[in-house]
Structure formats: structure tokens, C-alpha cells
Amino acid sequence: MLRTLSLQLRSAVTGSYVSGTYSIVFVNCPNEQIARDIARAILDKKLAASVNILPKASSLYFWNGEIEEATEILLLIKTKTSKVHVLSSYIRPQIPQNTVKGPKSRRTRVCAWRHRPPGC
């Protein structure tokens, strides 16, 4: 028990993750079917202990200096911190690159935003 408390304290103070502790990973999905497919696959591969599917999450974000809004399905994935990298590598290809047809695909905008500061 003392080891667990010391790991939590160290993690809180340093802002770092300690292997063997637990994390919650948030993943936005374009629809419920994709969210369920990803959740089941994650559990089948034992990359998480549990997954919550929260329907109709409203997302607001900056894009080209304007506030945009979208509705998505949010996954809350509970896993060991040591599995976060593998989990992330598995999830990225599972989410369709173009969830909306046309040149202003939100997925494309979010991917581009990850490489630019907010408000750009």
C-alpha cells in the first residue's frame, strides 16, 4: 500500500507516468458503431480492463482562429499506464481518416491541429 501511495504522489508531483500505475485514455469516435467495434477489439486484445462508451459528446475546438463544434462518441478506456503506448498505436488506424465527406473533414482538421498550436 505504501508503494502505491508513493507512486501516486510521485506521479502527481512530477507530472510523469509510472509503469504499473493506471491511466484513463479518452478517444473520440465519429459514430457509435465504430466506438463499439474499437471497444470490443481493445478488450479482446487485453489492452484495457474496461471501456465506457458515452454517447453524443459535444466537442468544441479551435480551427483557423474560429471555434468549431461537433458531436462525437467518447470512449473512456481504463488501462495500465504501461499499455498506453500500445493502445494508442492500435487505436489510431482504427478511426476512419475521413469521417465526413468533403474537403473540410473534421478528422483531417483534428489531425492537423495536433501538430499546430491551438487557435491557429
Side-chain angles (χ1 to χ4, degrees):
M1 182 169 159
L2 287 176
R3 181 178 185 277
T4 302
L5 289 174
S6 67
L7 288 173
Q8 290 173 345
L9 181 61
R10 177 177 178 243
S11 185
V13 170
T14 63
S16 64
Y17 292 105
V18 178
S19 182
T21 61
Y22 298 92
S23 295
I24 297 177
V25 177
F26 297 85
V27 176
N28 288 326
C29 297
N31 62 54
E32 194 167 345
Q33 186 59 52
I34 290 172
R36 286 188 183 284
D37 291 346
I38 290 172
R40 286 187 181 279
I42 288 168
L43 292 171
D44 285 344
K45 295 182 178 302
K46 305 210 182 324
L47 295 175
S50 78
V51 180
N52 294 103
I53 300 173
L54 304 175
K56 297 187 180 179
S58 294
S59 297
L60 286 91
Y61 54 94
F62 274 105
W63 182 253
N64 290 333
E66 295 183 26
I67 296 175
E68 298 282 334
E69 191 170 342
T71 301
E72 300 170 309
I73 308 301
L74 178 62
L75 296 179
L76 296 179
I77 304 167
K78 295 160 201 133
T79 188
K80 286 187 174 179
T81 302
S82 61
K83 293 184 178 185
V84 168
H85 181 71
V86 174
L87 176 65
S88 178
S89 296
Y90 175 76
I91 290 172
R92 281 195 179 106
Q94 305 306 316
I95 305 228
Q97 291 299 312
N98 294 314
T99 58
V100 179
K101 292 185 178 182
K104 289 186 78 175
S105 164
R106 182 180 184 285
R107 176 68 183 158
T108 303
R109 289 184 285 163
V110 172
C111 287
W113 175 81
R114 289 179 182 151
H115 303 288
R116 294 172 30 179
C120 294

